[in-house]
């Protein structure tokens, strides 16, 4: 008799529950770095029969009233016209695609962050385009010695000079068109600003198959 190897509905329900629990543990505000593909995770569905390619999107939709999407893009990638190899479009074009896709799915897109901003003309033009479309844009700047010069990074001349991203909801999902966009730095910058404002907030990174209850120094987490 065949047994279910992977219950996709149980996955969506459990993940949603654990994220909600983590929000509560941090006092009502969680910055969730979201890597990988939300809409078409074909790799996960290949290696785990029963996993649907849009499972992560469905999980976020279950939390839709609490979710705010912030899309991060590296200003240098705009300047260099960096291409998403799987789609054959530039990163800035993909940001526009993602905004439309999230909104179509019923999710709230709060803003776009341009990281590593250093007055690149193409990044400035993209900022103007987004604002013309009614999208809020925030600027984050290069920090000398990142990520090693901790005393500078965690100061008003480091994260402190980044623009504070104004968010409205308890679960802020930080996502991007691809790697190297600055998702982690954006989360840490926000935590710095939230702490300065006296707001309780926390950070987590979402993995397709996270083990939420493992301690920080567990071998699995150390390996990651």
């Amino acid at each position: 008799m065949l047994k279910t190897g992977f219950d996709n509905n149980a996955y969506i329900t459990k993940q949603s529950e654990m994220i909600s629990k983590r929000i509560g543990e941090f006092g009502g505000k969680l910055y969730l770095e979201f890597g990988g593909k939300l809409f078409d995770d074909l790799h996960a569905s290949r290696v785990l029969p029963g996993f649907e390619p849009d499972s992560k999107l469905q999980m976020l939709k279950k939390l839709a009233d609490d979710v705010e999407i912030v899309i991060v893009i590296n200003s240098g990638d705009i300047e260099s016209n960096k291409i998403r190899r799987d789609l054959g479009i530039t990163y800035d074009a993909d940001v526009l695609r993602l905004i439309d896709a999230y909104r179509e799915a019923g999710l709230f897109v709060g803003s776009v962050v341009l990281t590593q901003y250093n007055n690149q003309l193409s990044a400035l033009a993209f900022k103007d385009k987004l604002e013309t479309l009614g999208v809020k844009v925030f600027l984050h700047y290069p920090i000398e010695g990142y990520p090693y010069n901790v005393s500078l990074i965690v100061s008003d001349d480091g994260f402190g000079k980044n623009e504070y991203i104004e968010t409205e909801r308890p679960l802020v999902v930080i996502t991007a068109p691809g790697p190297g966009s600055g998702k982690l730095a954006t989360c840490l910058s926000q935590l710095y600003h939230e702490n300065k404002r006296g707001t309780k907030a926390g950070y987590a990174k979402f993995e397709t198959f996270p083990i939420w209850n493992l301690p920080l120094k567990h071998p699995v987490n150390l390996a990651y």
Side-chain angles (χ1 to χ4, degrees), residues 103-116:
R103 287 175 173 171
E104 213 171 283
L107 296 172
F108 170 53
V109 179
S111 56
V112 171
V113 181
L114 305 187
T115 62
Q116 296 292 313

Side-chain angles (χ1 to χ4, degrees), residues 143-160 192:
I143 301 174
E144 188 175 348
Y146 185 90
Y148 303 107
N149 191 350
V150 176
S151 60
L152 173 63
I153 294 165
V154 187
S155 75
D156 286 345
D157 294 320
F159 286 144
Y192 177 85

Side-chain angles (χ1 to χ4, degrees), residues 2-65:
L2 294 176
K3 293 183 178 180
T4 300
F6 180 82
D7 189 328
N8 202 69
N9 290 328
Y11 170 84
I12 293 169
T13 300
K14 196 64 178 176
Q15 288 283 48
S16 303
E17 289 174 357
M18 294 307 294
I19 290 172
S20 296
K21 180 181 177 184
R22 189 59 62 95
I23 294 171
E25 289 175 358
F26 284 119
K29 189 84 170 183
L30 178 66
Y31 288 91
L32 187 63
E33 180 188 347
F34 220 111
K37 297 174 182 177
L38 268 175
F39 300 97
D40 48 0
D41 196 342
L42 299 176
H43 171 70
S45 63
R46 279 196 300 269
V47 299
L48 187 60
F51 183 88
E52 297 294 334
D54 67 342
S55 292
K56 290 179 283 186
L57 178 65
Q58 295 305 321
M59 181 269 298
L60 284 182
K61 287 174 70 173
K62 200 172 181 69
L63 299 165
D65 290 343

Side-chain angles (χ1 to χ4, degrees), residues 48-130:
L48 187 60
F51 183 88
E52 297 294 334
D54 67 342
S55 292
K56 290 179 283 186
L57 178 65
Q58 295 305 321
M59 181 269 298
L60 284 182
K61 287 174 70 173
K62 200 172 181 69
L63 299 165
D65 290 343
D66 292 329
V67 173
E68 176 167 348
I69 305 285
V70 174
I71 303 175
V72 177
I73 181 171
N74 189 312
S75 299
D77 291 342
I78 302 173
E79 188 79 2
S80 65
N81 288 314
K82 188 172 182 178
I83 299 288
R84 267 196 65 161
R85 299 295 178 189
D86 54 342
L87 298 177
I89 61 175
T90 59
Y91 271 32
D92 53 336
D94 194 39
V95 167
L96 298 174
R97 182 188 75 90
L98 288 171
I99 290 172
D100 288 341
Y102 287 130
R103 287 175 173 171
E104 213 171 283
L107 296 172
F108 170 53
V109 179
S111 56
V112 171
V113 181
L114 305 187
T115 62
Q116 296 292 313
Y117 179 73
N118 194 23
N119 299 308
Q120 296 95 334
L121 291 178
S122 53
L124 184 60
F126 187 55
K127 176 178 182 290
D128 291 341
K129 182 175 185 176
L130 288 168

